[in-house]
Amino acid sequence: MATIDGSNDSTESEGGPLARWTKSVIEDQEKRDRLYRALFIVAAGFFLVTTLFPFYWLLVLALTPTSQILTGDWSLPIIGVEFPHPQGFNVYAFVEMFEQVPFHLFMFNSFVLAISTTVIVLAVATLAGYVFGRLEFPGRGVLMLVVLMISYFPPAAFLVPLFDAFLGNAVVIPFLGIELFESPRLVNTPASMVLPFSALFLPLAIFILTTFYAQIPDGLEDAARVEGTTRLGALVRVIMPLSAPGLATAAVLTFITVYNEYFFSSIMALENSPENWSPLLGGILSYQTQYTTEFNLMAAASIVGVLPIVIIVIVAQERIVSGLTAGGLKE
Amino acid sequence: MANLTLEHVTKRYEDVTAVDDMNLDIDDGEFICLVGPSGCGKSTTMETIAGLTKPTEGTITIGDRDVTSLPPKDRGVAMVFQNIALFPHMDVYENISFGLRLRDYDQEEIDRRVEHATDVVQLEGMLDRMPEEMSGGQRQRVAIARAIVREPDVFLMDEPLANLDAKLRVHMRTELQRLHKELDTTIIYVTHDQAEAMTMSDRIAVIDGGELQQIDPPLVCYNEPANLFVAGFIGSPSMNLLRGKLTANGVETDDFSLDIDVDGVPGASAGDDVTVGIRPEDVYPTDTQGAISTPSDPIEVTTDVLEPMGDQIFVYLTFDETSSQTMTGDATGSDQLLMSVDPDRDIAEDEQMEVVFDRTKVHLFDNASGDALVHGVEDLTSSGFETRVPESHSGEGDE
């Protein structure tokens, strides 16, 4: 910094190249536009590279045979600089991954878990959001705070007691030893994952929907009710369609997080097998055995696993954006 | 179509009573305006009729059905809202047919009714427009059409014209009157604009502080206001209200006296504090007093501010012998007098003149209760008086 400042000082006093350039940028509109464009390209380029490079690397790993990954020469031809690039073109990895592990079943599990969690979260959060956003009752603020507080806890805090309960052990009050109830044995079933996921994602969804529902003018709900709906009907027919962007946001966030979830499901599914409702990530990890790790298959599986999310995000984003611009909640 | 009855309807919130013991009996096909200042409880009354809020006490009957605890959808009412409240995600057709589709009418019937409703409000050819593409007036028509298609027993309109510009408002006013004639349905119309209430309704229900002040045809409210509030609220500009005292000879105010036989004023005696009410158009300069047969004694005044309106001139008058003690800014008493005169009249500011009141149009109000004592004091100087004593049914709650 010191040197730059120093050189800057000296050039400025002498009208050096930096000072002259700065001055010309300030005065010349065209030069300024060019600078902004250059800065934009640099910033956007940096962002794109850091975001997309992992995917490129995955693709490189998937196309490179396992033996080459560990022993191969990563230097680029001619230049000689080491840079990840495909060593060969082994598309067969994308077939082999399904032959070695029933990866489609793991994906199916993840889909089922994500969809059922999303449905539960949206259904409950919609009702809760309506209550918090549109009804006045004493203790509303406190209740909302309590709901939000759940999301402040790290999920791991709930893991041990939940695991204990879901194993089928009786739930006992600590120190007193009083038995409250005996949970059914839920491990290795979707319930053991969907229940905690729903509980963990509800606060955020409730918060999002509360703010959206609160913005819908009372007159619209009143109009719907006079026209012939119940409160619930007004919620479904008027308030929810008008809050579509909020619903989409809550749904997408929940779906993606559950689809990518591993922490709870790796523990609630006692083994990494599709029958135990192990999710996508469990599937990817099952290419790793005690003696071998099939990096290329893991990479291929990662790419296949991520595709649905990419599609959903692209579709949902269009939806969200169109929902926002079509808006017009003006009365 | 049905009549509507409110019996002892009261709505209390935690700390305020929005509607206090409201009794209304509205006939089939009547156009009733609920009118009053902001926060007087007229909208809450409307909401209890619509079923959007439940009254704390009292019963509401539509036709022969007690609807007090029915949800809005089962009451047979349709409502037009102040903020229009069209569903922004539905086009005009979907908006209008919303209620019918909910009730599972068959498509043919829906189309027939929508067509008829759009015909009535002149919205043909706009069925596929979205609300955001329409002007304020068009949206208001859609909202009215949405109410019409349901063929409700009672129409509720909550300041439907409040958000429209002045010109459109006057136009829609006549449209609504035409609509009422065409449909012949009971209409309850809430407004804070007394001019709207005067021009449109069969009867006006004046509400203040959650209580019904008077329910009568517009001209009765205008000519025989039940109490000080109605006198001040109905009519624009409002009635002159001048504080005074009943004496053995009549009414004495600080500025003038009126010769009245006190015995002819029912429910009042000498010594009572009263307010004299006189409308601006019933104050005449002495040179035009030939137009009336029962002028009061002349009162000396000085013109203050002139407001030429085109069709008439409003003249603010101050009394000549204004004593300083009356200069308290009291809401019901003022030492200013407003007079309306012919627009051709040559009149200047700070001009000394004499005015007379039309004695048939002088109102007396009891200051303690605010209730009207007598409308017109023309016969009260002689022994054989025959005055219009306000009927006691006119809505005061404290009798």
Side-chain angles (χ1 to χ4, degrees):
Chain A
M1 276 305 271
T3 53
I4 292 173
D5 282 349
S7 65
N8 205 0
D9 277 349
S10 60
T11 49
E12 216 168 284
S13 53
E14 298 157 14
L18 185 59
R20 266 184 276 121
W21 177 78
T22 313
K23 214 170 165 220
S24 67
V25 166
I26 291 170
E27 282 165 1
D28 190 347
Q29 172 75 36
E30 200 181 313
K31 240 179 177 175
R32 197 158 64 226
D33 288 346
R34 218 155 53 214
L35 176 69
Y36 287 158
R37 208 159 38 239
L39 286 175
F40 171 77
I41 289 168
V42 169
F46 176 78
F47 192 71
L48 280 178
V49 167
T50 48
T51 319
L52 294 181
F53 182 76
F55 290 102
Y56 169 73
W57 202 339
L58 276 180
L59 197 64
V60 168
L61 289 179
L63 293 177
T64 310
T66 324
S67 55
Q68 297 274 332
I69 289 175
L70 295 174
T71 60
D73 173 18
W74 292 101
S75 327
L76 287 171
I78 306 165
I79 319 170
V81 184
E82 283 209 353
F83 184 81
H85 64 280
Q87 314 263 328
F89 193 69
N90 182 25
V91 192
Y92 186 63
F94 288 95
V95 181
E96 202 185 344
M97 56 170 272
F98 284 105
E99 288 172 350
Q100 278 213 5
V101 169
F103 191 69
H104 52 289
L105 293 181
F106 285 103
M107 276 182 78
F108 172 80
N109 288 351
S110 267
F111 262 107
V112 170
L113 293 175
I115 287 171
S116 39
T117 307
T118 308
V119 168
I120 292 173
V121 163
L122 281 192
V124 178
T126 282
L127 295 175
Y130 177 83
V131 170
F132 282 125
R134 303 194 63 82
L135 301 182
E136 297 249 350
F137 56 93
R140 179 172 69 165
V142 177
L143 210 56
M144 184 82 202
L145 196 68
V146 168
V147 168
L148 281 178
M149 259 162 58
I150 296 174
S151 62
Y152 300 162
F153 285 97
F158 302 110
L159 182 69
V160 173
L162 280 178
F163 184 66
D164 193 42
F166 288 166
L167 276 176
N169 297 320
V171 175
V172 176
I173 299 178
F175 308 117
L176 298 177
I178 300 169
E179 198 174 297
L180 286 179
F181 60 90
E182 200 169 292
S183 160
R185 187 179 160 86
L186 293 180
V187 287
N188 291 341
T189 66
S192 66
M193 300 164 215
V194 170
L195 286 178
F197 293 160
S198 306
L200 287 171
F201 294 121
L202 260 177
L204 179 66
I206 290 174
F207 187 68
I208 293 173
L209 293 183
T210 298
T211 51
F212 268 88
Y213 291 172
Q215 287 168 7
I216 307 293
D218 287 345
L220 290 181
E221 188 187 349
D222 289 346
R225 286 175 62 204
V226 172
E227 284 295 302
T229 67
T230 56
R231 274 181 183 276
L232 204 62
L235 175 64
V236 173
R237 286 168 189 275
V238 175
I239 299 173
M240 284 174 73
L242 291 176
S243 307
L247 283 166
T249 311
V252 166
L253 282 181
T254 309
F255 185 90
I256 291 179
T257 328
V258 174
Y259 186 81
N260 293 332
E261 209 280 342
Y262 181 61
F263 178 64
F264 267 85
S265 39
S266 70
I267 290 159
M268 295 301 180
L270 298 178
E271 280 160 37
N272 261 354
S273 69
E275 300 78 48
N276 291 353
W277 288 91
S278 192
L280 183 83
L281 273 171
I284 293 175
L285 284 177
S286 27
Y287 293 104
Q288 191 177 25
T289 65
Q290 195 173 353
Y291 304 108
T292 59
T293 305
E294 309 253 26
F295 287 114
N296 61 335
L297 297 188
M298 288 172 94
S302 300
I303 290 174
V304 171
V306 105
L307 280 179
I309 294 294
V310 171
I311 292 166
I312 285 172
V313 167
I314 290 172
V315 171
Q317 206 165 31
E318 237 164 46
R319 264 285 161 90
I320 292 170
V321 171
S322 71
L324 285 175
T325 49
L329 288 187
K330 275 178 295 174
E331 287 191 54
Chain B
M1 285 196 274
N3 58 330
L4 171 80
T5 316
L6 269 67
E7 280 173 80
H8 305 294
V9 169
T10 301
K11 176 69 187 177
R12 263 183 236 104
Y13 292 104
E14 265 167 47
D15 42 354
V16 285
T17 304
V19 180
D20 195 0
D21 197 27
M22 184 77 69
N23 291 293
L24 285 176
D25 208 337
I26 294 162
D27 292 335
D28 188 5
E30 215 176 351
F31 194 132
I32 292 274
C33 274
L34 305 184
V35 65
S38 304
C40 72
K42 55 190 190 300
S43 284
T44 311
T45 308
M46 175 80 89
E47 281 170 17
T48 57
I49 299 172
L52 296 169
T53 45
K54 209 170 178 236
T56 320
E57 282 163 31
T59 51
I60 299 164
T61 323
I62 296 175
D64 298 323
R65 292 187 306 150
D66 179 356
V67 299
T68 316
S69 48
L70 288 183
K73 66 190 180 75
D74 300 329
R75 293 191 175 205
V77 298
M79 191 159 172
V80 180
F81 291 82
Q82 176 176 359
N83 46 27
I84 300 174
L86 294 183
F87 306 121
H89 58 303
M90 300 180 190
D91 64 23
V92 170
Y93 176 84
E94 288 171 317
N95 261 294
I96 295 177
S97 61
F98 185 77
L100 301 178
R101 286 182 286 132
L102 281 172
R103 286 176 174 74
D104 288 331
Y105 282 88
D106 60 55
Q107 191 58 43
E108 237 169 76
E109 175 72 4
I110 294 177
D111 287 341
R112 191 188 63 75
R113 288 207 194 183
V114 170
E115 197 178 325
H116 173 248
T118 45
D119 213 36
V120 171
V121 299
Q122 298 161 7
L123 266 178
E124 299 91 345
M126 294 196 177
L127 286 179
D128 51 356
R129 295 259 195 109
M130 297 302 280
E132 67 199 15
E133 299 164 355
M134 311 184 85
S135 70
Q138 289 171 331
R139 285 186 215 183
Q140 193 55 270
R141 286 158 200 268
V142 178
I144 293 169
R146 183 172 69 181
I148 296 175
V149 281
R150 300 248 321 280
E151 296 173 6
D153 293 332
V154 177
F155 264 119
L156 304 175
M157 302 197 177
D158 188 359
E159 309 210 16
L161 308 184
N163 284 358
L164 303 182
D165 61 64
K167 200 171 165 194
L168 194 55
R169 197 179 309 149
V170 174
H171 174 67
M172 290 300 287
R173 214 190 268 169
T174 48
E175 295 267 296
L176 281 179
Q177 280 171 286
R178 182 176 59 82
L179 188 72
H180 178 234
K181 216 177 285 172
E182 234 167 85
L183 299 175
D184 202 24
T185 306
T186 314
I187 296 184
I188 320 277
Y189 187 103
V190 163
T191 178
H192 63 265
D193 182 352
Q194 56 89 25
E196 236 167 59
M198 289 290 290
T199 49
M200 293 168 72
S201 49
D202 296 328
R203 280 195 296 164
I204 297 181
V206 185
I207 300 171
D208 183 45
E211 287 179 38
L212 184 63
Q213 306 292 327
Q214 182 169 12
I215 175 160
D216 273 312
L219 286 180
V220 176
C221 287
Y222 188 82
N223 291 324
E224 296 173 25
N227 55 33
L228 276 173
F229 177 79
V230 178
F233 192 81
I234 300 290
S236 175
S238 56
M239 187 187 280
N240 292 297
L241 297 169
L242 305 151
R243 299 205 130 187
K245 212 174 197 34
L246 272 184
T247 65
N249 301 326
V251 186
E252 292 281 345
T253 73
D254 292 321
D255 309 302
F256 64 93
S257 55
L258 266 176
D259 180 22
I260 289 174
D261 181 358
V262 180
D263 295 337
V265 181
S269 53
D272 285 356
D273 285 328
V274 294
T275 296
V276 177
I278 181 85
R279 292 205 181 271
E281 66 267 28
D282 299 324
V283 181
Y284 295 84
T286 36
D287 54 8
T288 59
Q289 75 181 65
I292 49 172
S293 54
T294 51
S296 68
D297 296 336
I299 301 162
E300 287 186 5
V301 291
T302 308
T303 61
D304 187 9
V305 179
L306 304 181
E307 286 182 350
M309 303 296 289
D311 57 341
Q312 55 188 336
I313 304 175
F314 290 124
V315 186
Y316 288 87
L317 305 167
T318 51
F319 296 105
D320 283 353
E321 293 140 59
T322 301
S323 48
S324 59
Q325 61 188 14
T326 61
M327 295 298 282
T328 49
D330 200 302
T332 53
S334 145
D335 46 32
Q336 237 188 5
L337 188 65
L338 183 62
M339 170 177 73
S340 71
V341 296
D342 199 60
D344 306 326
R345 190 185 169 83
D346 187 19
I347 195 164
E349 291 181 10
D350 296 322
E351 183 184 318
Q352 296 239 334
M353 61 189 303
E354 286 191 330
V355 296
V356 294
F357 295 166
D358 182 353
R359 288 178 62 91
T360 60
K361 299 292 177 68
V362 170
H363 309 265
L364 283 188
F365 301 92
D366 182 9
N367 274 9
S369 64
D371 292 339
L373 295 169
V374 65
H375 303 296
V377 295
E378 68 272 26
D379 297 326
L380 287 181
T381 45
S382 61
S383 49
F385 24 76
E386 196 175 305
T387 54
R388 285 166 288 148
V389 174
E391 294 168 52
S392 58
H393 80 262
S394 306
E396 311 90 330
D398 46 20
E399 288 198 355

